[in-house]
Amino acid sequence: MSTATTAQADERLLRQGYLRRLMGRPELGSVVGAAAVFLFFSFVADSFLQPSSLSTVLYASSTIGIMAVPVALLMIGGEFDLSTGVMVTSSALVSSMFSYQMTANVWVGIGVSLLITLAIGFFNGFMLTRTKLPSFIITLGTFLMLTGLNLGFTKLISGTVSTKTIGDMEGFDSARAVFASHLSIGDVDLQVTILWWFGLVALATWVLLRTRVGNWIFAVGGGSDAARAVGVPVNKTKIGLYMGVAFCAWISGQHLLMSYDVVQSGEGVGNEFLYIIAAVIGGCLMTGGYGSAIGSAVGAFIFGMTSKGIVYAQWNPDWFKFFLGAMLLLATLLNAWVRKRAEASK
């Protein structure tokens, strides 16, 4: 009898341990929210569940999700980046203008753009670690500088606020296949950005949960001084996080260029808030040290469902920002409640 009692007790403990682990997952609140949003639009929009509609939702989610992944890692590391939106545009502008002005293969412009975009990310991280100023101030300055450079250089070189077409240049078709192609599965077209998005989420999740660098990111977000005291390379970790953001901005920028062939110099302003919102809805704390890449993907999916669901429901799209703000508040409250329950059950 004692053996049976012990087995029963052990079984209860196992169940309790599983529930504790589930309640402690950062993305739990966003998954519940995503399910609610999905069911809601399934009822109010007849065309929402059509395969073509779902592929459109996934595409809209991926354009935000590609950037939400590194932004989430950066927030877990305790920092912000307000220059992400215009950095995407800067990356596209450099690729386009360098290729056109130098009459080079498009891939040459793409390579130069990668180097310059990574340099911007390094600049953000280096200035942060050297000056000890808040990341809000550092990246706000970068945001303003890039906004001015995007407009100034574009008008100086092309004479207008947009770049010249590069669609007829060598290498454009192969570059479009990498950054802006689509895959046909039956009657459904899936944009290649969805594959980029899923790949980045998988890579970021592996880094966070299975590598020493992931431990460093959580430690730095929990407290830089404490992390430094136990041997974590705080400065290198933060610079690396900013360069990761820059790399994903480069991917998004090339997609923007290859999709439309030309780039408007004023694009991207305001998108940085969408990336942060997706990360916060996905469970990242504003104070750092807590969050997940999967949560950022769920947050981006909620964004995609809402932005397209409003269209399919034939509502006035002017209400979109209201719903986005409401979701941000509700998700933050839900995540805080889940985290408190998880801490109370320990």
Side-chain angles (χ1 to χ4, degrees):
M1 172 134 355
S2 61
T3 303
T5 303
T6 303
Q8 291 175 358
D10 291 343
E11 186 179 358
R12 286 195 298 271
L13 287 173
L14 286 173
R15 285 201 300 268
Q16 189 178 32
Y18 174 77
L19 290 175
R20 282 181 179 177
R21 290 195 299 271
L22 182 63
M23 291 292 291
R25 291 302 304 166
E27 63 271 8
L28 176 62
S30 61
V31 170
V32 174
V37 172
F38 183 85
L39 290 174
F40 176 75
F41 282 113
S42 297
F43 284 106
V44 301
D46 295 335
S47 60
F48 184 75
L49 293 179
Q50 294 179 1
S52 59
S53 299
L54 292 177
S55 67
T56 303
V57 167
L58 283 175
Y59 173 61
S61 304
S62 68
T63 57
I64 299 299
I66 287 175
M67 288 302 299
V69 171
V71 167
L73 266 61
L74 185 64
M75 291 181 66
I76 294 171
E79 305 296 345
F80 289 94
D81 192 343
L82 297 180
S83 66
T84 49
V86 291
M87 195 190 304
V88 170
T89 305
S90 298
S91 174
L93 289 172
V94 170
S95 295
S96 178
M97 289 191 290
F98 189 90
S99 298
Y100 184 86
Q101 295 299 322
M102 300 300 175
T103 61
N105 187 297
V106 170
W107 282 103
V108 176
I110 291 174
V112 172
S113 174
L114 174 60
L115 294 177
I116 292 178
T117 310
L118 289 176
I120 296 172
F122 177 84
F123 172 81
N124 282 338
F126 180 79
M127 290 297 292
L128 176 76
T129 56
R130 278 304 181 96
T131 65
K132 307 302 180 183
L133 290 173
S135 56
F136 176 87
I137 298 298
I138 296 292
T139 58
L140 179 60
T142 306
F143 162 81
L144 294 172
M145 289 189 292
L146 289 179
T147 302
L149 288 172
N150 289 349
L151 179 60
F153 270 114
T154 304
K155 293 186 72 174
L156 178 65
I157 294 174
S158 65
T160 65
V161 295
S162 64
T163 60
K164 304 293 185 181
T165 177
I166 61 170
D168 57 348
M169 294 188 63
E170 183 181 357
F172 182 84
D173 291 337
S174 59
R176 171 172 278 182
V178 173
F179 296 105
S181 62
H182 60 88
L183 308 173
S184 296
I185 303 178
D187 296 331
V188 179
D189 285 339
L190 296 177
Q191 296 288 334
V192 73
T193 51
I194 299 173
L195 300 182
W196 278 104
W197 179 34
F198 288 170
L200 288 170
V201 171
L203 176 62
T205 301
W206 175 76
V207 168
L208 281 177
L209 302 181
R210 293 289 184 268
T211 69
R212 190 190 329 181
V213 174
N215 293 333
W216 292 348
I217 294 172
F218 281 108
V220 167
S224 296
D225 293 336
R228 189 177 287 108
V230 296
V232 174
V234 174
N235 291 350
K236 290 182 179 179
T237 300
K238 291 191 175 184
I239 292 174
L241 287 172
Y242 276 103
M243 293 185 71
V245 171
F247 175 75
C248 291
W250 172 75
I251 295 174
S252 296
Q254 305 320 299
H255 170 69
L256 176 65
L257 174 60
M258 301 308 160
S259 295
Y260 302 104
D261 189 16
V262 296
V263 182
Q264 298 290 328
S265 59
E267 291 186 28
V269 177
N271 285 350
E272 59 277 356
F273 295 111
L274 301 181
Y275 310 145
I276 294 173
I277 288 171
V280 172
I281 290 177
C284 291
L285 292 181
M286 306 292 285
T287 53
Y290 189 79
S292 72
I294 294 176
S296 73
V298 178
F301 185 52
I302 291 176
F303 172 89
M305 286 192 293
T306 304
S307 62
K308 299 305 176 183
I310 289 175
V311 176
Y312 295 137
Q314 298 182 347
W315 294 348
N316 189 335
D318 294 339
W319 289 93
F320 169 67
K321 291 294 178 64
F322 168 80
F323 285 107
L324 192 61
M327 283 192 303
L328 174 63
L329 290 176
L330 290 174
T332 304
L333 291 173
L334 181 59
N335 290 333
W337 178 81
V338 169
R339 191 161 182 261
K340 287 180 179 179
R341 290 294 301 270
E343 291 175 349
S345 64
K346 293 180 179 179

